Amino acid sequence: MASKPLLYPAPTYHTLETYWDTDEDAPGPRCAHTLTAVAATKSHGARLILFGGATAIEGGAGSSAPGIRLDGVTNSVHAYDVLTRKWTRIRPAGDPPSPRAAHAAAAVGTMVVFQGGIGPAGHSTDDLYVLDLSNDKYKWHRVVVQGQGPGPRYGHVMDLVAQRYLVTVSGNDGRRVLSDAWVFDTAQKPYVWQRLTPEGDRPSARMYATGSARSDGMFLLCGGRDISGTPLADAYGLLMHRNGQWEWTLAPGVCPSPRYQHAAVFVGARLHVTGGALRGGRAMEGEAAIAVLDTAAGVWLDRNGLVTSSSRTNKGHKEHDPALELMRRGRHASASIGVRLYIYGGLRGDMLLDDFLIAENSPFQSDINSPVLTSERALPLTSPRLNPSSIASSPSTSTLNGRSELSSSSSMSMDKSSMEKLAEASAAEAEAASAVWKAVQVASTGPVEERTVSDGHFQVPETTADGTDTKADVRLHPRAVVVAKEAVGNLSGMVRQLSLDQFENESRRMIPLNSDLPYPTKKFTRQKSPQGLPKKIICTLLRPRNWKAPVNRRFFLDSYEVGELCYAAEQIFMQEPTVLQLKAPIKVFGDLHGQFGDLMRLFDEYGFPSTAGDITYIDYLFLGDYVDRGQHSLETITLLLALKIEYPENVHLIRGNHEAADINALFGFRLECIERMGESDGIWAWTRFNQLFNFLPLAALIEKKIICMHGGIGRSINSVEQIEKLERPITMDAGSIILMDLLWSDPTENDSIEGLRPNARGPGLVTFGPDRVTDFCKKNKLQLIIRAHECVMDGFERFAQGQLITLFSATNYCGTANNAGAILVVGRGLVVVPKLIHPLPPPIQSPETSPERVIDDTWMQELNIQRPPTPTRGRPQPDHDRSSLAYI
């Protein structure tokens, strides 16, 4: 198994020169304020909204009184336009909130919601104030809320979760430090606050923590100060399951340092944490001042890379580092737009700050289509208001751990020649490239519909965290994520991002071999269910990093347990519709064909379905053909069924043409059951699996814009309703022509062949042209068809000008195709990202010292002799008899 790709370190921040017309437009020195990114409107691009805070301090070095006291608390509002790099003070109509600091704010589309804080008159109320920026007539609104709320508090956190729920956590009510959590449903009237009682590992009481919501719906609480004044180094994720239950989960990884009064903001799956204070109010110093929690990988990173112990020292930076000195601050505020991170102001000792800092999540992650940051790239990131010696940037390059780094402008595009150079680069450069896949979910900021607020009520626009409209069109990401072919050496497991134009084999589809010979099914009687069976299976099989094929082929479940597994899964499938209605984000898998090792590799490289993986924020959809051909069909189908039982609302399975007794009796599954479970138990288990297969859903709709199926639309399917009307359980022989087309049909060879043509798989089967795809999508208001069923060389293949994608997840199909395997990740903004793995090379050991390889090869050879695979499309076809299985 190749090693995991290296992770990209935390970024370096630089000062940014900004402009304003009058001194009043400049925010000036301040701390304990908020900085919130709001989506673009029809008249404005994306903006940052700065509100409130303290603009003066009392005490300090020149005072006889110990300590300092914040003063000059304000309720002024300043907007920063990222296109013009200009600050403007705005004066919205309506009754504004009182002056306050240490309050909380969250963006709701083109609006900003404020709550709590502390001001000259003491604690602010717990009223929600909404700043509506939907048009040029900015206005304040106070939301009318029924019932009890969180109450007055300061030093708490708040953010919008899943584009709908305002979540506020912790803080101080003037009497004690709090640990409670409250939720406010912005889509449900009358508006009410609800106190949460989440399950899981509950965080301790704290204040001055940070809370930031990831775009997929997870709220992350980080750090803070506890009741005794001790800084905290932990992080907790809060998420809502589809049944409405909320749950706390302790985040993995080793935090660089405890801290409070810091700032944190998400870019994709990476939480960027900056600054903060230690015990006694001492400012953070060294590398720990700039940290990243990569929630996809479950690790903390600083500018040197992976953090393995707390309070990491300033390794490799014996000389004064202006970038680290710049981040020695607390009570500042941060926000992000696209891949850019912004920080304003804060407190350093007894000095209020008025500088504006900027960094980029990764030099390879900028969206080349985003116009937002053009003006910021046009000039050096310098400021005349700062000492030049503290500036460590230049117009073209910056340094990161002593290495030359691409400038922001040059990193915006990567053509074929640069990718070829990257492939030949050193291991250090490979480290940077390997992190590309971590940010493919980061989308550029886009316009949203104009929203209005009236009569104290507000509506939540359907937007993502970075301002993009969830109603945007489905589009294929211009690059695919690829695990390199190298399996040994310094480039082991390297992940690259390649332009789709580089997939020269994309049109080389394989012609698979199947048969539709009838085979009788058997009845079976339900047994009593042993408890914990799904967990036992998951614990045994879900080992993405270290799974190895068993030398002893004996399967670890008996027929009794197989029967109970099938019964439990069957009860779930019976309650599901024939066409599943699913939401993004979701991962889509193509044919697996018993190649369990490939499934583990895909899980290892791109996340796996468990609470330790990514099941809490992304669904999984499998498009059928779980069994046959490969040597581990039993592991594949039992794990997927166990995952379905354990996560019934997050793991989804639909039927393939090999989920039928008359097919999998011939192509390996029945033989595997007999060989690995004994003849009697094996036949019984094989029969029970096929009985279950008759209940599987037949298609899935994602956000009502993408339809997923195993085969295609053939000649008979013109509407989704035709599929929905198919009643289950259903067998192949009892099914209609609609079922046959759904599971067996293929697209024609290329876009130039339209209409319906005979299918080489067998008599009565057809291929359908791009015109059929276009008509079907138009009639059903769909934008994409994702189907499996055919082996393709690059793991995925576009058809009908991108309106259909064929997906195949098993590598080196039948041991001879040498094809890549792929999955498709459909993001919340309906951007579809292909993610690939290449076939593993032959083992270094000899067959004599690798007995499991001998077993696998023997299995493949025997099956291929009986059912020989056909060559890839475009290569000469063997002279098979038209009635032979090879032709079918």
Side-chain angles (χ1 to χ4, degrees):
M1 178 76 63
S3 62
K4 291 292 288 181
L6 298 174
L7 299 166
Y8 197 79
T12 297
Y13 289 78
H14 313 282
T15 55
L16 174 66
E17 182 180 9
T18 58
Y19 308 95
W20 48 83
D21 291 334
T22 66
D23 290 342
E24 193 177 49
D25 289 320
R30 69 178 67 203
C31 69
H33 53 289
T34 54
L35 187 69
T36 312
V38 295
T41 65
K42 292 181 178 179
S43 56
H44 289 278
R47 288 172 290 177
L48 298 175
I49 302 299
L50 188 150
F51 171 77
T55 60
I57 57 175
E58 294 181 354
S63 173
S64 58
I68 61 172
R69 180 177 179 272
L70 300 181
D71 200 5
V73 178
T74 180
N75 63 352
S76 64
V77 183
H78 298 261
Y80 172 75
D81 190 315
V82 298
L83 289 173
T84 62
R85 295 168 59 187
K86 184 177 180 180
W87 284 103
T88 304
R89 179 171 181 177
I90 60 177
R91 292 178 171 79
D95 296 327
S98 60
R100 61 189 67 196
H103 52 285
V108 184
T110 55
M111 299 174 287
V112 185
V113 182
F114 301 93
Q115 197 266 342
I118 191 168
H123 285 77
S124 305
T125 67
D126 66 348
D127 291 339
L128 284 175
Y129 284 88
V130 176
L131 175 59
D132 182 13
L133 304 167
S134 301
N135 50 49
D136 291 334
K137 297 179 180 179
Y138 309 140
K139 191 172 183 180
W140 284 109
H141 299 276
R142 186 174 66 87
V143 181
V144 177
V145 180
Q146 295 186 2
Q148 183 183 0
R153 63 181 66 198
Y154 70 97
H156 57 302
V157 294
M158 181 176 71
D159 207 351
L160 186 71
V161 173
Q163 288 77 53
R164 175 170 177 174
Y165 301 98
L166 281 174
V167 172
T168 185
V169 178
S170 70
N172 190 317
D173 63 1
R175 299 183 300 274
R176 64 189 184 280
V177 179
L178 305 169
S179 63
D180 55 350
W182 295 74
V183 65
F184 180 94
D185 189 345
T186 62
Q188 184 67 43
K189 295 182 181 180
Y191 295 126
V192 295
W193 279 104
Q194 177 187 353
R195 182 164 183 165
L196 296 178
T197 55
E199 298 176 345
D201 300 320
R202 182 177 176 181
S204 59
R206 66 192 65 204
M207 61 187 296
Y208 295 133
T210 57
S212 185
R214 197 166 55 186
S215 60
D216 55 33
M218 187 186 76
F219 179 91
L220 198 76
L221 181 70
C222 177
R225 190 177 74 189
D226 68 8
I227 297 174
S228 66
T230 302
L232 302 170
D234 52 11
Y236 290 84
L238 178 65
L239 50 95
M240 186 183 74
H241 297 289
R242 294 189 179 181
N243 61 4
Q245 179 62 47
W246 294 76
E247 180 181 5
W248 282 110
T249 303
L250 181 64
V254 180
C255 180
S257 172
R259 71 185 81 205
Y260 66 96
Q261 293 179 344
H262 52 293
V265 63
F266 266 113
V267 176
R270 288 162 55 99
L271 181 76
H272 291 259
V273 181
T274 53
L278 301 171
R279 181 182 283 274
R282 180 168 55 90
M284 294 285 302
E285 293 181 341
E287 291 292 345
I290 305 175
V292 169
L293 173 57
D294 191 319
T295 58
V299 296
W300 281 91
L301 305 109
D302 60 17
R303 297 192 312 161
N304 290 321
L306 186 67
V307 175
T308 57
S309 62
S310 224
S311 301
R312 184 162 172 167
T313 58
N314 197 5
K315 296 180 181 178
H317 292 276
K318 295 181 180 180
E319 299 180 359
H320 175 69
D321 190 333
L324 293 178
E325 176 65 21
L326 203 60
M327 200 49 66
R328 197 168 64 84
R329 67 182 67 210
R331 299 198 180 202
H332 52 295
S334 65
S336 67
I337 295 179
V339 297
R340 285 292 173 100
L341 301 139
Y342 300 88
I343 291 176
Y344 188 88
L347 187 66
R348 180 180 299 143
D350 59 358
M351 181 175 65
L352 285 175
L353 304 174
D354 65 346
D355 52 353
F356 196 33
L357 309 182
I358 188 171
E360 189 167 295
N361 182 44
S362 163
F364 294 96
Q365 291 173 17
S366 302
D367 190 333
I368 61 175
N369 297 318
S370 175
V372 172
L373 304 171
T374 304
S375 60
E376 291 171 353
R377 295 191 184 95
L379 297 175
L381 302 183
T382 60
S383 173
R385 294 182 290 168
L386 294 179
N387 189 329
S389 64
S390 68
I391 299 170
S393 63
S394 68
S396 59
T397 63
S398 61
T399 60
L400 179 66
N401 300 335
R403 294 197 301 271
S404 177
E405 179 179 328
L406 290 173
S407 68
S408 298
S409 59
S410 64
S411 69
M412 294 303 290
S413 62
M414 298 178 68
D415 58 14
K416 185 173 181 179
S417 62
S418 63
M419 284 305 303
E420 290 173 348
K421 293 177 182 178
L422 179 63
E424 301 170 356
S426 66
E429 291 167 328
E431 176 182 353
S434 68
V436 172
W437 73 280
K438 290 296 182 184
V440 294
Q441 296 177 352
V442 178
S444 61
T445 302
V448 298
E449 293 182 10
E450 183 176 337
R451 304 282 174 171
T452 60
V453 179
S454 60
D455 303 325
H457 301 295
F458 65 96
Q459 301 172 348
V460 183
E462 296 283 338
T463 58
T464 60
D466 59 2
T468 56
D469 191 343
T470 59
K471 294 182 178 179
D473 290 340
V474 177
R475 64 186 179 93
L476 186 63
H477 197 278
R479 288 182 168 87
V481 178
V482 186
V483 178
K485 294 182 179 180
E486 296 89 346
V488 293
N490 291 331
L491 297 181
S492 171
M494 192 178 83
V495 177
R496 302 173 183 161
Q497 193 179 31
L498 298 180
S499 168
L500 296 190
D501 296 334
Q502 291 185 251
F503 288 91
E504 59 185 25
N505 289 324
E506 191 190 350
S507 63
R508 289 166 56 195
R509 218 160 44 220
M510 296 286 293
I511 302 178
L513 300 175
N514 297 297
S515 172
D516 55 355
L517 299 178
Y519 200 92
T521 58
K522 296 184 179 181
K523 300 287 183 182
F524 116 78
T525 307
R526 183 207 166 200
Q527 307 289 328
K528 193 180 202 175
S529 176
Q531 295 183 356
L533 178 59
K535 286 184 171 60
K536 169 187 173 181
I537 296 170
I538 293 172
C539 182
T540 303
L541 294 179
L542 188 57
R543 298 184 176 183
R545 184 67 61 87
N546 55 17
W547 180 84
K548 291 184 178 179
V551 177
N552 181 358
R553 290 274 291 169
R554 183 72 185 179
F555 193 51
F556 72 101
L557 297 180
D558 58 30
S559 60
Y560 166 73
E561 292 172 310
V562 167
E564 288 309 320
L565 178 72
C566 289
Y567 176 80
E570 194 173 79
Q571 299 306 302
I572 299 173
F573 293 136
M574 289 172 64
Q575 302 301 316
E576 292 184 328
T578 300
V579 178
L580 301 173
Q581 302 289 330
L582 307 179
K583 297 288 186 180
I586 188 168
K587 297 179 190 175
V588 186
F589 290 69
D591 291 24
L592 293 168
H593 280 298
Q595 297 186 202
F596 190 73
D598 285 334
L599 179 61
M600 291 300 100
R601 289 177 62 208
L602 287 165
F603 282 170
D604 184 35
E605 298 295 346
Y606 302 125
F608 56 96
S610 81
T611 52
D614 56 12
I615 193 65
T616 52
Y617 58 86
I618 191 168
D619 282 7
Y620 284 70
L621 172 62
F622 299 86
L623 300 186
D625 277 13
Y626 314 113
V627 300
D628 281 345
R629 285 291 185 186
Q631 60 274 13
H632 297 106
S633 292
L634 282 170
E635 282 87 351
T636 304
I637 188 59
T638 52
L639 177 61
L640 293 182
L641 292 178
L643 290 170
K644 177 63 180 178
I645 297 167
E646 190 72 9
Y647 309 106
E649 297 179 340
N650 305 98
V651 174
H652 313 282
L653 280 67
I654 66 173
R655 188 174 187 176
N657 65 299
H658 278 255
E659 278 69 66
D662 54 353
I663 302 304
N664 59 53
L666 298 173
F667 287 86
F669 185 44
R670 182 176 183 272
L671 178 61
E672 181 182 341
C673 290
I674 293 172
E675 286 189 355
R676 302 185 65 189
M677 300 182 69
E679 184 171 3
S680 178
D681 282 358
I683 292 177
W684 192 85
W686 171 80
T687 301
R688 185 61 185 98
F689 277 120
N690 279 291
Q691 186 181 33
L692 164 77
F693 293 156
N694 294 331
F695 287 88
L696 286 172
L698 300 176
L701 278 172
I702 301 174
E703 301 286 359
K704 300 186 184 300
K705 292 188 176 182
I706 303 172
I707 189 167
C708 302
M709 59 188 65
H710 180 72
I713 56 177
R715 86 217 81 178
S716 63
I717 302 175
N718 298 304
S719 68
V720 177
E721 289 76 15
Q722 290 177 274
I723 308 173
E724 292 174 333
K725 291 178 180 178
L726 292 175
E727 295 183 359
R728 297 167 297 137
I730 186 170
T731 61
M732 286 291 184
D733 53 351
S736 64
I737 190 67
I738 295 175
L739 181 64
M740 189 64 67
D741 280 343
L742 190 65
L743 300 186
W744 284 90
S745 64
D746 301 301
T748 54
E749 188 172 348
N750 54 60
D751 283 4
S752 66
I753 304 175
E754 296 186 337
L756 298 172
R757 302 296 173 94
N759 194 323
R761 293 179 183 272
L765 302 178
V766 300
T767 60
F768 53 92
D771 52 333
R772 283 277 293 134
V773 173
T774 300
D775 292 344
F776 180 82
C777 289
K778 183 176 181 181
K779 180 177 180 180
N780 293 274
K781 299 180 179 179
L782 299 171
Q783 296 183 13
L784 178 65
I785 298 173
I786 299 176
R787 46 91 63 174
H789 194 41
E790 284 188 288
C791 180
V792 287
M793 286 302 296
D794 291 317
F796 75 103
E797 173 187 314
R798 292 169 288 180
F799 180 76
Q801 296 184 335
Q803 294 178 94
L804 181 147
I805 297 178
T806 295
L807 181 65
F808 203 82
S809 298
T811 67
N812 196 25
Y813 183 46
C814 294
T816 59
N818 200 34
N819 62 286
I823 64 173
L824 297 177
V825 180
V826 182
R828 189 175 295 277
L830 299 185
V831 177
V832 181
V833 182
K835 296 191 174 185
L836 282 66
I837 58 172
H838 284 289
L840 289 175
I844 297 176
Q845 311 102 307
S846 66
E848 290 75 16
T849 60
S850 183
E852 68 274 11
R853 183 77 184 196
V854 174
I855 294 172
D856 293 353
D857 287 347
T858 302
W859 174 275
M860 282 289 191
Q861 290 168 7
E862 292 179 354
L863 198 58
N864 288 344
I865 292 172
Q866 299 174 32
R867 311 282 186 264
T870 52
T872 54
R873 189 182 300 275
R875 297 177 182 175
Q877 301 287 324
D879 187 20
H880 289 307
D881 186 279
R882 290 184 60 89
S883 63
S884 72
L885 286 173
Y887 186 83
I888 294 174

